[in-house]
Amino acid sequence: GEDVEQSLFLSVREGDSSVINCTYTDSSSTYLYWYKQEPGAGLQLLTYIFSNMDMKQDQRLTVLLNKKDKHLSLRIADTQTGDSAIYFCAERPYGSGNTGKLIFGQGTTLQVKP
Amino acid sequence: DVKVTQSSRYLVKRTGEKVFLECVQDMDHENMFWYRQDPGLGLRLIYFSYDVKMKEKGDIPEGYSVSREKKERFSLILESASTNQTSMYLCASRVSGQNTEAFFGQGTRLTVV
């Protein structure tokens, strides 16, 4: 079945770049997403990439997709303390239709040290 | 402004109780979802609904049921709460379409004692 894997924890210093990695198993996934969860809050969509793209950039965020290796990464440039959160990778499997069922990874806790 | 509202932020219930978690969205979305979030396991889909009175099982439906009598409201029911259902529960909704954003509620942290 579909599976999405992430490492659980990443610690960086303020001003450095953060790279959060994700692997997935469903090669027919149509869209891949990054969500952010701040403490005590629900999930908020950060960005997404369509499966026929290799890269997407949005201000400080860069998403890289390697379809051959089924590997997705999120790079946050100039990481700030406000970026401290849990980051979830999610895939939308082919065949999920219009309901948009998502498969989530375990979440990576990003700790930003001043 | 888009809103998904879960009725409680924190709940404490006793083993064996019947528990209702309520979720309301004001965006006229067709699709609604219930996930549970556990450390190290991420979000796992319990049930989802793509229309009023329609529901489908997700990956971990055992011990849960749902109700969707009105489009804006999706309820998660624990028929007989058990300690292994202690978790964070997240509701989400999205409009139908190829790539539409899912909006999440703030979550309900349920403790079963």
Side-chain angles (χ1 to χ4, degrees):
Chain A
E2 307 102 354
D3 195 19
V4 179
E5 297 280 336
Q6 299 176 242
S7 55
L8 295 182
F9 187 77
L10 176 67
S11 180
V12 301
R13 292 216 172 271
E14 191 174 18
D16 287 350
S17 292
S18 309
V19 180
I20 303 171
N21 294 301
C22 170
T23 58
Y24 60 96
T25 55
D26 187 350
S27 58
S28 62
S29 289
T30 53
Y31 292 92
L32 295 135
Y33 302 84
W34 285 104
Y35 280 83
K36 177 182 181 183
Q37 184 182 36
E38 295 182 351
L43 274 67
Q44 179 186 5
L45 179 65
L46 269 184
T47 187
Y48 68 92
I49 189 166
F50 187 47
S51 57
N52 69 353
M53 297 167 66
D54 297 324
M55 186 181 92
K56 182 177 180 182
Q57 188 148 4
D58 184 3
Q59 299 182 335
R60 292 190 296 123
L61 305 178
T62 303
V63 179
L64 293 177
L65 175 60
N66 181 329
K67 281 194 70 178
K68 176 175 168 289
D69 296 337
K70 296 179 206 166
H71 182 266
L72 183 73
S73 67
L74 174 69
R75 179 177 180 270
I76 305 173
D78 187 25
T79 312
Q80 304 297 308
T81 53
D83 295 324
S84 294
I86 304 175
Y87 290 81
F88 289 93
C89 169
E91 64 166 349
R92 182 177 173 184
Y94 178 79
S96 60
N98 281 332
T99 62
K101 175 184 166 182
L102 297 177
I103 308 295
F104 285 86
Q106 302 92 326
T108 300
T109 298
L110 175 64
Q111 180 190 67
V112 182
K113 296 180 181 176
Chain B
D1 199 19
V2 156
K3 210 154 187 189
V4 178
T5 304
Q6 294 182 231
S7 53
S8 305
R9 291 296 301 268
Y10 301 95
L11 272 180
V12 180
K13 296 291 181 180
R14 293 195 180 278
T15 301
E17 274 193 78
K18 189 168 186 176
V19 181
F20 293 85
L21 302 184
E22 306 286 348
C23 175
V24 176
Q25 49 97 1
D26 63 0
M27 298 162 284
D28 202 36
H29 286 172
E30 296 88 357
N31 306 293
M32 296 187 75
F33 306 82
W34 275 107
Y35 291 89
R36 66 176 279 177
Q37 180 183 4
D38 299 288
L41 296 177
L43 273 71
R44 292 179 291 167
L45 182 63
I46 304 171
Y47 266 97
F48 66 100
S49 168
Y50 52 89
D51 202 350
V52 175
K53 296 190 187 296
M54 306 305 288
K55 60 186 179 186
E56 282 202 25
K57 293 179 181 178
D59 299 316
I60 51 163
E62 296 78 18
Y64 303 95
S65 62
V66 289
S67 173
R68 185 117 180 253
E69 295 298 316
K70 293 185 178 181
K71 192 175 187 180
E72 67 269 21
R73 185 180 297 269
F74 192 35
S75 304
L76 179 70
I77 304 155
L78 286 66
E79 296 290 342
S80 176
S82 64
T83 54
N84 64 12
Q85 293 178 308
T86 291
S87 187
M88 170 71 88
Y89 290 88
L90 290 165
C91 174
S93 75
R94 66 189 291 169
V95 69
S96 291
Q98 277 301 308
N99 184 32
T100 59
E101 181 178 349
F103 294 91
F104 282 81
Q106 76 278 30
T108 297
R109 182 161 295 282
L110 173 67
T111 302
V112 182
V113 297

